[in-house]
Amino acid sequence: MKLFVFHTPELTPIDDVPNCAIAIDVLRATTTMATALANGAEAVQVFSNINQLMQVSEAWPSEKRIRAGERGGATVEGCDLGNSPLDCTPERVSGKRLFISTTNGTRCLERIQNAPVVLTAALVNRNAAVQYLLNHQPETVWISGSGWEGSFSLEDTICAGAIAHSLLAKTDISLNDLAGNDEVVGAIALYIQWQDKLLELLQQASHGQRLVRLGVIDDLKYCAQTDTLNVLPIQQEPGILITKPL
């Protein structure tokens, strides 16, 4: 297995595809997607364009849909939810499809959607992603961070490092054999440095500070948890994610 980390969708290659691609947006899209599916959502359908989300979801029965839209950390007018995983309670999402569009995470998924296997990961379901990789052994794996509007983000990189670090710990593969680019080594180093202070790191991150200013500190606390959800969102068809047994 050869692992590559790309910090943003813009840095993710477009002229090739890996055997498996993983989208990460710890704050907060991929955390929200995992939470919704863990709490009984029928599927998650992602859109980079909010108008397209509205049009497609209109054809879905109103009692079977939830529209989640976020721009700049705030809820989009006309949507039921923003991008908070804490809003995806079983009472709210069970049996429904979550139609979601966010500033960065859904755009990241769109970038990698042509890979034969597309997963989403966050700190909360890190182990589920690792177990999938160990069970299926894809030859090439790309981890694409969502970043923030094209720039590097600490929270997505540390999640990539957490996945890579766990793969090293659970196999006899060497770092030299696992790492396909320098970003893998950097991500692992970041995780080793901060693994016991994840909430502190998220509060240091520029987007974490943005969320604190919006008053959503509980989201940061939730997103900083590791391995709390045993659920793995996997792309069933472009833009549609379901859960899959590991």
Side-chain angles (χ1 to χ4, degrees):
M1 186 189 306
K2 189 65 81 172
L3 186 67
F4 298 80
V5 170
F6 303 101
H7 293 311
T8 66
E10 291 79 7
L11 291 172
T12 304
I14 58 174
D15 55 355
D16 194 11
V17 292
N19 299 111
C20 176
I22 304 174
I24 293 177
D25 186 6
V26 171
L27 296 176
R28 294 166 284 170
T30 58
T31 304
T32 297
M33 293 171 193
T35 302
L37 290 170
N39 286 337
E42 171 264 333
V44 174
Q45 190 161 351
V46 301
F47 301 85
S48 58
N49 183 288
I50 193 70
N51 293 324
Q52 187 183 20
L53 180 154
M54 293 297 187
Q55 292 169 4
V56 172
S57 62
E58 191 62 35
W60 209 259
S62 59
E63 69 277 7
K64 290 292 185 179
R65 73 175 183 230
I66 295 182
R67 292 163 167 163
E70 171 268 326
R71 290 294 183 272
T75 302
V76 173
E77 185 178 354
C79 288
D80 306 299
L81 307 175
N83 188 22
S84 172
L86 298 180
D87 287 338
C88 295
T89 61
E91 296 77 17
R92 181 169 272 174
V93 303
S94 183
K96 299 179 182 178
R97 176 165 296 202
L98 182 70
F99 295 86
I100 185 170
S101 180
T102 71
T103 305
N104 303 294
T106 50
R107 191 166 48 86
C108 179
L109 266 166
E110 190 174 75
R111 184 79 168 203
I112 62 173
Q113 68 181 7
N114 292 327
V117 175
V118 176
L119 314 172
T120 71
L123 290 169
V124 292
N125 70 327
R126 183 270 305 259
N127 188 60
V130 170
Q131 284 303 126
Y132 181 91
L133 297 178
L134 293 175
N135 291 345
H136 295 271
Q137 292 291 320
E139 185 176 344
T140 54
V141 179
W142 290 2
I143 300 180
S144 180
S146 297
W148 177 262
E149 296 183 343
S151 62
F152 170 92
S153 67
L154 285 169
E155 66 275 8
D156 294 342
T157 302
I158 202 168
C159 184
I163 292 171
H165 185 268
S166 184
L167 287 171
L168 290 174
K170 294 184 177 185
T171 66
D172 57 4
I173 190 172
S174 69
L175 176 58
N176 187 58
D177 287 337
L178 180 68
N181 60 4
D182 288 352
E183 288 87 337
V184 175
V185 181
I188 293 171
L190 182 68
Y191 177 71
I192 291 172
Q193 175 75 21
W194 290 87
Q195 60 184 311
D196 298 321
K197 300 179 291 183
L198 292 174
L199 177 57
E200 186 178 336
L201 179 83
L202 266 57
Q203 291 171 326
Q204 289 284 334
S206 58
H207 189 39
Q209 293 176 25
R210 193 176 292 111
L211 293 175
V212 169
R213 290 194 294 272
L214 289 170
V216 288
I217 184 64
D218 287 342
D219 276 18
L220 283 184
K221 293 176 180 177
Y222 181 87
C223 295
Q225 299 176 98
T226 306
D227 303 335
T228 55
L229 298 179
N230 190 31
V231 63
L232 184 65
I234 186 167
Q235 184 173 263
Q236 181 184 44
E237 58 184 89
I240 300 177
L241 300 160
I242 60 171
T243 57
K244 183 179 178 68
L246 305 182

